[in-house]
Amino acid sequence: PNKELKLLAKSFQKCHRLLVHSIEDLNRLKNIGLVENVSLFPHGILDFSMENTQYELKNKFTNKKNKRCIASYGFCLPNKGYFELIKAISILNSKKFKVELNIFSSIYNENYYWVYNDLIKLVEKLNLTELVKINKNYLPDNEVLKLLSAHDFSIFPYQESNESSSAAVRHGLATCRPVMVTPLQIFDDVSEFVEYLPGSTPDLIAKGIFDWYGSQTNNNNEESKFIFKRSENIYHRRFSNLGVRLTSMIKGLEVNNNQS
């Protein structure tokens, strides 16, 4: 109760501009009487140039041609869906459809170290030590982007979240490689950039992964156009481009303030 948004309404009214990332957030502010000084502003995506890095790193994870290899990234927290994702890999493996999974998931804090330990136990229990690897080290952004780009796609199988947007998914998007997510509201502001899994259960995550690989055999010109348009849109969401847009907004507010 002491953290309700409406308690900040009077302070927010004094701001020249309030920036939100989604229509839902826009409506939340509208419901507490904040309209005139509210604007939609995209959550940024890291600037990253791949060049040929993904081809150089590919061999780090796949020592055989045509091997399937996917990645996931984010803090090691119970709601990120890693347990369900590992079970999905087990389901696929039981059907003789092998997919290697690399999870880059640093420990959020010591209180959540149990999540990492339980993930390792699950991997061992399901006999997936050859297919599933978990890197718990905190890695620099540029290294994370290089690692993610070396995989067929990145997957973010979140189970629940009360956040408005995901910072982790933007690392996947920055690589311009395909990104798959569960159908949750947290991904609404990047819906035009991602592909949705049919659900968040292990069975449905497995189905989504299987169907994605099946769709790659039927690639066509329309798909190529989609990929190009997606990359172009991601480029416009980069921090460097949004920085220019934000600067213009601030200058405009300064001019209007001086005139008034």
Side-chain angles (χ1 to χ4, degrees):
N2 63 336
K3 291 185 178 180
E4 288 186 12
L5 200 61
K6 64 183 180 182
L7 299 177
L8 298 173
K10 288 185 178 179
S11 296
F12 284 157
Q13 285 172 351
K14 298 178 181 179
C15 297
H16 289 91
R17 188 71 79 240
L18 298 170
L19 306 181
V20 296
H21 298 319
S22 69
I23 296 294
E24 290 75 19
D25 285 343
L26 206 68
N27 289 329
R28 287 188 186 97
L29 293 183
K30 183 178 179 181
N31 289 337
I32 59 173
L34 297 164
V35 178
E36 297 300 324
N37 64 341
V38 182
S39 295
L40 272 174
F41 194 86
H43 194 312
I45 295 173
L46 291 170
D47 289 61
F48 183 64
S49 178
M50 274 315 307
E51 298 177 352
N52 295 318
T53 309
Q54 67 266 43
Y55 305 110
E56 297 168 8
L57 281 170
K58 192 80 171 172
N59 292 330
K60 180 172 182 176
F61 303 107
T62 59
N63 51 26
K64 292 181 181 178
K65 278 189 175 182
N66 302 320
K67 214 174 204 180
R68 307 178 193 98
C69 194
I70 66 176
S72 193
Y73 167 74
F75 279 120
C76 200
L77 295 169
N79 69 320
K80 291 301 180 78
Y82 296 136
F83 292 99
E84 290 76 10
L85 179 56
I86 291 170
K87 291 175 183 176
I89 296 298
S90 180
I91 291 170
L92 292 170
N93 188 47
S94 69
K95 296 178 180 179
K96 309 300 180 186
F97 191 83
K98 292 187 180 296
V99 179
E100 293 187 3
L101 168 66
N102 289 295
I103 299 175
F104 302 98
S105 184
S106 57
I107 308 300
Y108 187 70
N109 61 43
E110 290 302 316
N111 294 329
Y112 289 97
Y113 211 99
W114 65 268
V115 180
Y116 171 74
N117 289 332
D118 284 359
L119 289 173
I120 294 297
K121 290 176 184 176
L122 180 62
V123 170
E124 293 172 349
K125 179 182 177 181
L126 297 176
N127 296 314
L128 295 174
T129 53
E130 293 300 313
L131 290 178
V132 178
K133 308 293 182 186
I134 304 174
N135 186 331
K136 63 181 175 64
N137 298 319
Y138 189 91
L139 304 171
D141 285 336
N142 203 53
E143 186 173 348
V144 170
L145 296 179
K146 287 180 180 179
L147 291 170
L148 294 181
S149 66
H151 295 75
D152 297 327
F153 63 85
S154 296
I155 183 168
F156 299 86
Y158 290 22
Q159 296 298 295
E160 58 182 25
S161 179
N162 58 6
E163 296 179 351
S164 295
S165 62
S166 165
V169 75
R170 284 167 173 72
H171 282 68
L173 293 174
T175 69
C176 286
R177 301 290 295 154
V179 172
M180 295 196 74
V181 302
T182 41
L184 295 180
Q185 195 176 66
I186 190 173
F187 301 116
D188 283 357
D189 68 320
V190 292
S191 59
E192 60 188 302
F193 305 135
V194 300
E195 298 176 53
Y196 284 95
L197 293 159
S200 56
T201 64
D203 283 333
L204 291 175
I205 292 172
K207 183 181 186 304
I209 294 171
F210 181 83
D211 290 347
W212 185 89
Y213 278 106
S215 70
Q216 301 310 295
T217 60
N218 302 315
N219 213 345
N220 52 40
N221 289 334
E222 288 302 314
E223 181 69 13
S224 297
K225 289 179 183 177
F226 168 77
I227 293 171
F228 176 80
K229 184 65 177 176
R230 175 177 172 273
S231 298
E232 187 177 43
N233 288 337
I234 287 173
Y235 172 80
H236 291 301
R237 285 278 193 99
R238 286 182 173 181
F239 278 114
S240 57
N241 291 319
L242 289 182
V244 175
R245 181 172 162 185
L246 182 60
T247 301
S248 298
M249 180 185 293
I250 293 170
K251 288 180 177 178
L253 288 171
E254 184 179 22
V255 170
N256 291 336
N257 190 50
N258 290 334
Q259 289 177 347
S260 61

